[in-house]
Amino acid sequence: MHVKSTITPTNEVHPTTEPITKENKSKHSFKLYAINFILSTLTMTIITVAHFVVLEEELKWTDLSMIIASFGASCSLICNAHKSPLAQPRNVILGQTISGFVGVCCQKAIGDTLGEGFSIPIAASLSILLMDLTRSFHPPAVATALQAILGGSSVYKVGFLFVFCPTFLGSCLLVLSAYVGNNYIAKRKYPSNWF
């Protein structure tokens, strides 16, 4: 059985990943780098404000965090490689949410009994498999599954709430801020497709 890949080849190479040559030097401009810097700063600032102002100060939810490490990598994709299939909303939101759910399940079912040494590889592999099956592959999301296992007592205490906040809500905020930043500040189309 042949499985069709969700990653479509493109003739366009992202300017920050290709070598600089005389032919493509115009794509490597200070303006492009400045825009990418501003967008990623804006996007991560929104997540940070949501954590410190909304969750901690307003709602007094000190057990939850809106900031997880994988959001930095997601931000990199949606701000700097916004045309990539891996950076589209379906992949970011669904991939992160699936991986958060898998991570919590593995921590509860395997980590509590057999330990982290068994739950980590299963969570990572199962996250990748489920993202592939749902056509929502988003590489940074694998780290979200591991965060649910390695996050310590603060993550264990909130349990499946981790899937909702920070995973689902945070990835929605990432996509929303990247939408605003790419379309209204950088004047470039994001997303290529919503779902």
Side-chain angles (χ1 to χ4, degrees), residues 1-191:
M1 181 171 112
H2 178 70
V3 177
K4 186 177 178 184
S5 173
T6 60
I7 300 175
T8 55
T10 175
N11 294 334
E12 191 173 310
V13 176
H14 189 266
T16 57
T17 58
E18 70 179 336
I20 300 174
T21 63
K22 287 181 183 179
E23 294 78 29
N24 69 7
K25 193 171 184 172
S26 64
K27 285 197 273 182
H28 293 270
S29 68
F30 176 76
K31 182 180 176 185
L32 171 71
Y33 300 134
I35 287 171
N36 290 343
F37 173 79
I38 290 166
L39 292 183
S40 58
T41 302
L42 171 72
T43 301
M44 288 310 295
T45 299
I46 289 170
I47 293 289
T48 304
V49 167
H51 171 77
F52 288 109
V53 176
V54 178
L55 283 183
E56 286 191 359
E57 289 182 23
E58 295 298 320
L59 299 175
K60 307 293 186 215
W61 289 357
T62 55
D63 293 338
L64 293 175
S65 174
M66 186 61 80
I67 304 167
I68 53 177
S70 66
F71 285 171
S74 292
C75 176
S76 174
L77 277 175
I78 62 179
C79 293
N80 293 21
H82 63 283
K83 291 182 180 178
S84 168
L86 304 175
Q88 300 310 305
R90 174 190 178 90
N91 296 64
V92 176
I93 296 168
L94 194 55
Q96 286 281 7
T97 304
I98 286 170
S99 296
F101 180 75
V102 167
V104 173
C105 287
C106 286
Q107 187 276 321
K108 289 188 171 298
I110 302 166
D112 284 348
T113 56
L114 299 175
E116 294 171 349
F118 288 98
S119 59
I120 290 170
I122 292 171
S125 301
L126 193 54
S127 292
I128 292 167
L129 174 65
L130 291 176
M131 285 188 290
D132 280 343
L133 291 173
T134 58
R135 299 178 317 118
S136 62
F137 189 64
H138 183 66
V142 178
T144 301
L146 302 184
Q147 175 91 25
I149 296 166
L150 299 171
S153 62
S154 62
V155 176
Y156 301 162
K157 189 161 60 169
V158 297
F160 284 101
L161 188 55
F162 176 81
V163 179
F164 179 69
C165 182
T167 308
F168 175 74
L169 284 181
S171 55
C172 287
L173 274 176
L174 283 173
V175 167
L176 181 62
S177 58
Y179 172 80
V180 171
N182 277 302
N183 289 292
Y184 297 104
I185 295 172
K187 306 291 188 215
R188 55 191 190 194
K189 185 178 181 337
Y190 176 82

